[in-house]
Amino acid sequence: MERYEILKDIGSGNFGVAKLVRDKQSGELFAVKYIERGPKIDEHVEREIMNHRSLKHPNIIRFKEVLLTPTHLAIVMEYAAGGELFERICNAGRFSEDEASFFFQQLISGVRTPAYIAPEVLSKKEYDGKIADVWSCGVTLYVMLVGAYPFEDPEDPRNFRKTIQRILSVHYSIPDYVRLSKDCKHLLSRIFVADPEKVHTIFNIFTSSSVFNSVLHMTLNRNLS
Ligand SMILES: Nc1ncnc2c1ncn2[C@@H]1O[C@H](COP(=O)(O)OP(=O)(O)OP(=O)(O)O)[C@@H](O)[C@H]1O
């Protein structure tokens, strides 16, 4: 880690903390995720690192290297200076459908296209992250359009138990003050379904939505050609 100068903490997650660092030689900024060595580092983390290492896409944070400190595993990656989506929405308000569609398309092109995925990722048959990815994209789309999380009880947003119940029963609604097109509501309703068997593939969902169709076709054509 001597190569890097630690500048500040940027956040913490389930696995550890993230810090902003500077490469002393090149002056480049990176984010480093520190995960304490020990039981937290299991095959799940290992797979995550292996998968991430093989991804190369403009909308996916680039992975640089993994280092070991006496106490931590340090994952060095590209620094995304934009901050959190939710924070941006809290400060500057929610997105219009057009803006949301632009960012959503960027997000989808990061998760959807197989064109960028390495064979070792595809060959892991147990990988079922796709369904979870579709769901998470739906949550992100909702956040952009509504400016709130879809499964929190508006009266009691910090109650995790309630949130989990709402997720399990797919209980969400769109507040009256948010005007969404029918097509957009339909898209959300197709993403948020309880039974994973019924979750449509991301391809089907997006090709059936006319709001997102033109941008989607452009992305698809680009990725398939
Ligand atoms: N590459 C990065 N560039 C900029 N900020 C980052 C980067 N990686 C992480 N962060 C910041 O640090 C916080 C913690 O990151 P971390 O990846 O540990 O957790 P998370 O993604 O929030 O949740 P989880 O623990 O479920 O992965 C993030 O919420 C984000 O604010």
Side-chain angles (χ1 to χ4, degrees):
M1 279 305 297
E2 308 77 50
R3 241 187 105 168
Y4 302 100
E5 176 195 355
I6 296 175
L7 300 179
K8 62 166 187 175
D9 287 359
I10 39 182
S12 59
N14 290 318
F15 288 103
V17 295
K19 291 180 196 264
L20 175 65
V21 302
R22 183 187 295 135
D23 184 323
K24 288 178 191 163
Q25 272 182 355
S26 69
E28 267 181 289
L29 295 178
F30 293 99
V32 181
K33 214 157 139 170
Y34 288 90
I35 304 172
E36 208 178 319
R37 289 174 71 167
K40 272 191 198 168
I41 302 177
D42 54 13
E43 55 201 88
H44 185 74
V45 173
E46 193 184 320
R47 196 168 65 200
E48 189 84 12
I49 292 172
M50 295 307 287
N51 286 352
H52 193 170
R53 205 157 64 171
S54 52
L55 287 171
K56 195 173 172 191
H57 184 281
N59 297 344
I60 295 177
I61 298 264
R62 277 313 307 268
F63 174 98
K64 183 151 183 273
E65 58 178 334
V66 180
L67 301 167
L68 271 181
T69 77
T71 50
H72 288 81
L73 181 77
I75 305 168
V76 185
M77 62 191 130
E78 188 189 331
Y79 171 58
E84 301 277 328
L85 173 68
F86 204 75
E87 214 173 285
R88 143 73 180 77
I89 290 173
C90 290
N91 294 332
R94 51 199 158 79
F95 292 85
S96 69
E97 263 184 43
D98 278 352
E99 289 168 321
S101 128
F102 173 77
F103 289 113
F104 192 58
Q105 181 239 135
Q106 302 279 308
L107 176 67
I108 295 309
S109 82
V111 290
R112 188 193 47 79
T113 172
Y116 295 87
I117 302 174
E120 61 267 30
V121 178
L122 289 175
S123 64
K124 291 245 185 302
K125 297 220 170 50
E126 79 272 26
Y127 179 72
D128 59 356
K130 254 194 293 181
I131 286 171
D133 283 347
V134 176
W135 183 278
S136 308
C137 288
V139 172
T140 307
L141 178 62
Y142 183 100
V143 166
M144 287 195 287
L145 293 165
V146 177
Y149 291 115
F151 298 103
E152 276 181 0
D153 181 343
E155 309 293 318
D156 195 5
R158 289 184 190 272
N159 189 327
F160 279 19
R161 187 189 287 255
K162 264 194 196 164
T163 304
I164 288 165
Q165 272 165 4
R166 281 176 169 241
I167 293 172
L168 292 172
S169 56
V170 197
H171 176 182
Y172 73 97
S173 57
I174 292 150
D176 291 338
Y177 59 83
V178 181
R179 314 262 4 128
L180 289 190
S181 67
K182 240 168 134 186
D183 207 48
C184 212
K185 286 186 193 155
H186 181 66
L187 175 60
L188 286 168
S189 72
R190 292 194 64 190
I191 296 176
F192 294 142
V193 281
D195 180 356
E197 295 291 313
K198 292 205 187 110
V199 175
H200 304 266
T201 66
I202 202 141
F203 181 88
N204 288 341
I205 289 170
F206 300 112
T207 43
S208 69
S209 164
S210 66
V211 174
F212 296 94
N213 232 357
S214 52
V215 270
L216 179 84
H217 274 263
M218 271 157 46
T219 318
L220 272 180
N221 289 337
R222 211 180 46 228
N223 291 336
L224 295 177
S225 61

